[in-house]
Amino acid sequence: MNSCEDPAKRENAEPEAYQEPHRPQFHFSPDSMWMNDPNGMVYYEGEYHLFYQHYPGSTVWGPMHWGHAVSKDLVHWEHLPIALYPDSLGHIFSGSAVVDWANTSGLGKEGEPPMVAIFTHHDPEGEKAGRDDYQYQSIAYSLDKGRTWTKYEDNPVLPNPGIKDFRDPKVFWHEASERWVMIFAAGNHVQLYNSANLIDWSYLSDFGQGIGGQGGVWECPDLFPLQVDGDGEKMWVLLLSINPGGPNGGSATQYFLGDFDGKTFTMDPAFAKRVAADTLTGNPYWVDYGRDNYAGVTWSDIPKSDGRRIFMGWMSNWDYANVVPTERWRSAMTVARKLDLRTTPDGPRLFSQPVQELSKIKMPSKPIPSRTVSQSMPISSLLEDQSATLSLKLQLAWPNGQQPEEIAVVLSNSKEEAFRFGLSDDQFFTDRREAGKTGFEARFAQSKHTAPRWRNANELNIKALIDVASIEFFADDGGVVMTDVFFPTEDFTELRLEVKGGRVAVRGGAIARMQSIW
Ligand code: FRU
C-alpha cells in the first residue's frame, strides 16, 4: 500500500483491493468503480493533481463526476474525495484546471490564488430532448489546495451557441496577449476563446474543419508550445483526441504542429502537407499508435525551473472500455510521460518518454548480456523473482544491414497465452490476439496493431513498461509509442526475444522489476 495513503480513507475498501486480477501495480487506477479521461491536471504547492472522469455508482460509464488524486512525485498517488458532483446544470464532463496566480478571476482570497477548474456541464435532459445545446463550459474554484471546490454562481461561463458536441475545455495563460485561452472541441473541429478573468469569454477562431483524422467526433484538445530539440525553434503542439478513427481502430490521439499567435492556430506548412497527403487515417501523426491511450492532455503550471511538458492518457478505448474483464474498478491511466519535439528526417516530431521519477520504484536492474540471436533468447530468467511488473530496455542491431523479418519480444505464461510486440516488415507491432481473455468484445483483438517505422536505421532501441495488464512500448527513443492493455488468465511472467528470418545482435539492455505503488 502507498506510504502516503491514509488507511482510514480506505476503510470501505475490500481487503484484496489492489491485489485483484488484472490490477495495475504502478499505474494509477481508481480505488473502485468507473474511470475515463484524466481531467484538471495541475501542479500546485508541491502536488500534482489528477482529476478524472468518474462514475462512483458503477463500473460502467454513467453520470460523470470528477474523481481526484494527488501525487508528490507523479508515481505514488493518494486518493482524495470526489471533487465535483453533478448538479442542476448537468453532469461534470472533461476539462482542465489552472492556478490563477494574479487572481484575475477575483475568486481568490488574500494571499491564496484560487485553483480554477474549467469543465463541461453536460445536461442529460437536454440531450434526451434532442436539443443541440446541452453542453456548455463552467468553472469551479478551490482555496484549499484542491481539497474542496465551489462552483461559480453564474455558471455556465460559456453558454452553448447551438453546437452539438461542445466540450472538453483546456485553458492556459498566453503570456504574449496576457489572456487566458480556452481551446475545446466543437463537433468535428476545435474552437478557441480568450478571457482576461476566466469568467468572460470572447470568440477567437476555429481550427480543424476537414483537417486531419475525421473518422469520429473531436474531443479533449490541448495546445502548448515546445522548443524543437529543447532549445530550437518554438512550435505549438495541438493534441486532439478522436473517437473513432484511430490508426488501429476506435479512439486515439493525433497531433498537429504549427504556430499560435494568441488568436489562431496555423499548421506549419510542411507539416500540413504531410497531413493532407495521408490517405489511411487522415493524419500520419499520432501521440500513440496502440489502442489504449486516449483523451490524454498535459499538466498545467509545471514550474519554469522544471520546464517539462508532462502528459497522461486514459489507458483504454471506447470500443470496449465498458466491458473489459475487471470487477471492482475499471481502467487505469498511462504513466506520466515527458513530451518533446525532436528533429527527424521528416521534420519535427513528438517524442514521449516515461518521466524519470519512475526510476524510484525500479528494483536493481539486471544487464542483458550482448550476444547474437537467430531464434530465441530468454530474458525474464535474469530475474530471480519473476514478476508481471517490469521495465525493459533493449538495444538491438543488424550490423550488415540485413534486417530480420521479425523481431518480437514475447510475454507469456504457463497457459501458453502470449503478448507479442516488436518490429516486423518495417512496421512496429503489438499483438494481443493470443494474450488471454479477448472474447468480451469483438473489436478488442481483431488484428495485430501496427505503427509505421519512419526511422531508417540498422539498429533499434526499445523501452517497455509492463504492468500486469498493460504495456507501454516506446520504440526508437520514444518516436513511436504503442500502448495496449491485455487480460491473461494467469499473470505473464516469462519474457523472451524471438527472431525470425535473420539474426539480431543484442548490444545491451536491462531488465528490472517495478515495485507496487499501492
Ligand atoms: C472523451 C469524452 C469527452 C467527454 C468525456 C465524458 O473520452 O467522451 O469528450 O467530456 O469523455 O465522460
Side-chain angles (χ1 to χ4, degrees), residues 18 22-29 329 332 467-470 518:
Y18 286 88
H22 313 304
R23 179 71 99 162
Q25 293 300 304
F26 64 93
H27 285 77
F28 179 79
S29 58
W329 86 101
D467 187 6
V468 183
S470 67
W518 303 108

Side-chain angles (χ1 to χ4, degrees), residues 34 36-37 53 61-62 64 92-95 120 135 167-168 218-220 243 294-295 314 318:
W34 170 266
N36 57 297
D37 315 356
Q53 289 288 279
W61 189 85
M64 285 291 109
I92 316 296
F93 271 23
S94 285
T120 299
Q135 294 180 339
R167 59 174 180 267
D168 307 340
W218 282 26
E219 300 183 318
C220 300
N243 175 46
Y294 192 61
W314 172 46
W318 282 117

Side-chain angles (χ1 to χ4, degrees), residues 450-483:
T450 59
R453 185 179 202 211
W454 44 264
R455 182 181 286 177
N456 184 10
N458 292 336
E459 56 181 23
L460 169 62
N461 290 338
I462 287 178
K463 203 185 270 181
L465 291 173
I466 294 152
D467 187 6
V468 183
S470 67
I471 179 160
E472 287 155 287
F473 168 28
F474 301 87
D476 285 336
D477 304 311
V480 176
V481 188
M482 300 185 81
T483 301

Side-chain angles (χ1 to χ4, degrees), residues 165 256 289 342 362 375 405 486:
D165 294 294
F256 300 93
Y289 287 84
R342 296 194 205 162
K362 209 190 238 184
Q375 283 188 332
E405 275 160 36
F486 44 73

Side-chain angles (χ1 to χ4, degrees), residues 120-121 131-137 156-167 182 184-187 189-193 201-206:
T120 299
H121 259 126
R131 293 205 313 265
D132 277 345
D133 59 357
Y134 55 85
Q135 294 180 339
Y136 24 82
Q137 320 321 333
V157 293
L158 181 53
N160 188 310
I163 299 177
K164 191 157 173 269
D165 294 294
F166 190 76
R167 59 174 180 267
M182 183 196 292
F184 58 88
H189 62 286
V190 293
Q191 289 196 334
L192 293 113
Y193 276 66
W201 293 92
S202 314
Y203 172 80
L204 291 174
S205 59
D206 280 30

Side-chain angles (χ1 to χ4, degrees), residues 198-314:
L198 293 165
I199 293 166
D200 305 300
W201 293 92
S202 314
Y203 172 80
L204 291 174
S205 59
D206 280 30
F207 169 78
Q209 224 132 21
I211 295 172
Q214 292 283 345
V217 65
W218 282 26
E219 300 183 318
C220 300
D222 194 358
L223 181 62
F224 51 86
L226 278 178
Q227 280 181 278
V228 180
D229 300 318
D231 54 6
E233 184 195 354
K234 179 165 110 177
M235 291 186 103
W236 285 77
V237 183
L238 201 166
L239 304 186
L240 203 278
S241 283
I242 179 175
N243 175 46
N248 284 293
S251 32
T253 305
Q254 55 184 325
Y255 67 91
F256 300 93
L257 299 183
D259 188 34
F260 176 64
D261 61 2
K263 187 166 190 288
T264 310
F265 174 80
T266 318
M267 263 197 290
D268 174 72
F271 185 88
K273 249 192 211 159
R274 288 192 286 271
V275 168
D278 185 87
T279 50
L280 207 62
T281 58
N283 187 351
Y285 299 94
W286 298 86
V287 173
D288 197 310
Y289 287 84
R291 289 270 268 156
D292 297 292
N293 181 357
Y294 192 61
V297 289
T298 65
W299 256 276
S300 184
D301 291 279
I302 296 294
K304 282 219 164 79
S305 56
D306 177 322
R308 285 178 299 178
R309 186 48 65 171
I310 305 170
F311 168 98
M312 185 175 269
W314 172 46

